[in-house]
Structure formats: structure tokens, C-alpha cells
């Protein structure tokens, strides 16, 4: 029997939607578990760690935003948020809470499949593409293989980034002191899952900039170039 491509946990309170999505993703080769609430999700997480969480925004009891915020404290499971709301503010809040991507209902199952695959590709990038794993800049050392970042003199001082934030940092670290347009950043970090005029890159840059500035105040590592894009300002060197 062929091993599943990856494991998914779908947290959706509509039983019909949950069943349809689970059946579709299983046919595509994924292992799928379902939960209809935050409490049910916690029970599933006690016995498995999924490769990706598909999380509905509107749930009974604890909503998706609260669940996303809670999971980001202790877990780094990639999260694709589903929402029936199309307002930009809902997308922004979801990303601020740590979601890696969002998908607005109604959507085609094939679009969900494409988003899931895109997130998993970013998280499980082939190591062969990165012959040198570790880079140093300012007070930070980032390991693109283990997807970790340390700062300061103590090796146990780690910076907690979501997978989307880490992908963005990796994009900058590999292209320092070069003005990158929003379209280039979207293409390098999200590929074909990026939507036209997608503003999520601005939200991710804002989040990443805040975390880097909090660890290294006044460093100004990411600057905005008017009518140009974004610039990663420090010198970057490869380290063993």
C-alpha cells in the first residue's frame, strides 16, 4: 500500500463540507482526520501531529482565530484558514494570528488541494536546493534546513516564526541588499498559489519586521523602498 502524501486535520463544524473535503483529499492520497470544534481538535492532537491543519474561522465555542493564536504558542503546525468572510480585515487578522494562508468560501476542492500542496512544498523544501544551510546577519543565525533562527550570544535564544514568516525570511536571506518587488516575493514564497494583487505579503513583512526589531532593536533589517518594494539591509554570510 502506498504511504499517504501527508496527514491533514480538518476542523470544520459543517458535517457535509467536512465529509466532502475529507473524501476528496483522501482520494488525492492524503491521510485525513476531522474535528468539528476546538475541543474535538485537541483530542485528535493528543494522538497525532498532522502535517497541516485546515481550520474553519467560524466554529462553535472557541473560534478559529482563538484556536490559531493558541496553537502558535506551543505548535508550529502549518495552518490553512477557511473563512466565509471575504473582507480583507478577516484575512489580515487570521494572518496576524499566525495562519500560513487563507481560503475564502465557497471554493473548489481543487483550489484547496493546490493551497495545501503549496504550503507543504514550502515547509518540506528539498534540502538539495540549499547546499549551504546556515546564514548569519546582524545578531542572528538562521538555519534553512532545520527552519530555525537563533539570536544573541546564547544558543538557546530562538526566535519563534510561523512557516510563512520563515519562508519570507529565507527569501530575504538568500537575496540580501537587493530590492525585491511584492510580485517577486509572492512568487518566491507562495508560487502559483498567490492571487493577483495579493496583499498578504505586506502583512507578513510587517509581522516579520516586528519580531526582528523586537530581538534587535533599532536594527532596521527590512526597509520599504518607495515604488520599489522591500530591501533586506544587513550583510549576510554563510556559516558552518
Amino acid at each position: 500500500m502506498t504511504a499517504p502524501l501527508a496527514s491533514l486535520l480538518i476542523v470544520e463544524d459543517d458535517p457535509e463540507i467536512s465529509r466532502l473535503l475529507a473524501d476528496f483529499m483522501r482520494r488525492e492520497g492524503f491521510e485525513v482526520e476531522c474535528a468539528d470544534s476546538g475541543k474535538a481538535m485537541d483530542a485528535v492532537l493528543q494522538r497525532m501531529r498532522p502535517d497541516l491543519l485546515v481550520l474553519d474561522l467560524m466554529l462553535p465555542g472557541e473560534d478559529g482565530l482563538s484556536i490559531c493564536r493558541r496553537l502558535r504558542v506551543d505548535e508550529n503546525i502549518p495552518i490553512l484558514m477557511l473563512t466565509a468572510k471575504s473582507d480583507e480585515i478577516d484575512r489580515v487578522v487570521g494572518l496576524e494570528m499566525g495562519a500560513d494562508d487563507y481560503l475564502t468560501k465557497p471554493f473548489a476542492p481543487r483550489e484547496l488541494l493546490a493551497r495545501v500542496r503549496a504550503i507543504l512544498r514550502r515547509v518540506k523544501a528539498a534540502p538539495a536546493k540549499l547546499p549551504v544551510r546556515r546564514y548569519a546577519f546582524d545578531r542572528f543565525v538562521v538555519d534553512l534546513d532545520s527552519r530555525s533562527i537563533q539570536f544573541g550570544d546564547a544558543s538557546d535564544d530562538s526566535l519563534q516564526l510561523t512557516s510563512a514568516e520563515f519562508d519570507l525570511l529565507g527569501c530575504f536571506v538568500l537575496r540580501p541588499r537587493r530590492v525585491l518587488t511584492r510580485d517577486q516575493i509572492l512568487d518566491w514564497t507562495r508560487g502559483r498559489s498567490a492571487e493577483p494583487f495579493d496583499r498578504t505579503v505586506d502583512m507578513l513583512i510587517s509581522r516579520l519586521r516586528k519580531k526582528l526589531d523586537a530581538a534587535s532593536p533599532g536594527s532596521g533589517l527590512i526597509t520599504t523602498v518607495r515604488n520599489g518594494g522591500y530591501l533586506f539591509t544587513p550583510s549576510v554570510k554563510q556559516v558552518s
Side-chain angles (χ1 to χ4, degrees), residues 3-21:
L5 297 175
S7 58
L8 309 179
L9 173 54
I10 298 174
V11 186
E12 164 65 65
D13 66 317
D14 187 312
E16 183 65 16
I17 294 176
S18 181
R19 182 185 63 80
L20 288 173
L21 292 181

Side-chain angles (χ1 to χ4, degrees), residues 48-196:
M48 70 169 290
R49 188 188 187 282
D51 295 304
L52 186 143
L53 185 70
V54 179
L55 178 63
D56 189 30
L57 177 66
M58 304 300 292
L59 292 168
E62 186 179 16
D63 64 27
L65 291 178
S66 175
I67 291 172
C68 187
R69 184 191 305 112
R70 173 164 62 84
L71 288 177
R72 280 293 170 252
V73 175
D74 302 311
E75 298 280 356
N76 197 33
I77 301 172
I79 296 174
L80 172 61
M81 185 164 284
L82 305 181
T83 171
K85 299 180 179 180
S86 59
D87 292 343
E88 184 174 355
I89 185 63
D90 295 298
R91 306 176 191 175
V92 171
V93 172
L95 292 168
E96 288 287 354
M97 292 299 101
D100 297 279
D101 201 355
Y102 62 86
L103 189 56
T104 303
K105 296 178 181 178
F107 57 85
R110 287 282 172 190
E111 185 176 4
L112 174 70
L113 176 63
R115 296 298 182 98
V116 167
R117 284 175 171 168
I119 294 173
L120 292 175
R121 280 197 303 269
R122 298 199 300 266
V123 173
K124 302 177 180 179
K129 295 181 179 179
L130 299 170
V132 178
R133 310 299 186 200
R134 303 177 77 236
Y135 297 85
F137 61 91
D138 192 66
R139 301 176 59 238
F140 302 89
V141 175
V142 58
D143 189 322
L144 296 179
D145 190 18
S146 66
R147 297 180 66 83
S148 62
I149 176 171
Q150 279 75 42
F151 67 94
D153 299 326
S155 60
D156 58 349
D157 285 341
S158 60
L159 195 64
Q160 298 301 313
L161 301 180
T162 67
S163 60
E165 291 166 354
F166 191 90
D167 291 335
L168 178 60
L169 178 62
C171 177
F172 281 131
V173 165
L174 294 174
R175 303 167 183 87
R177 298 185 174 182
R178 171 181 168 186
V179 177
L180 305 180
T181 67
R182 290 178 60 257
D183 288 342
Q184 287 175 322
I185 295 171
L186 279 170
D187 190 45
W188 283 322
T189 58
R190 296 184 61 190
R192 285 177 293 178
S193 70
E195 298 177 354

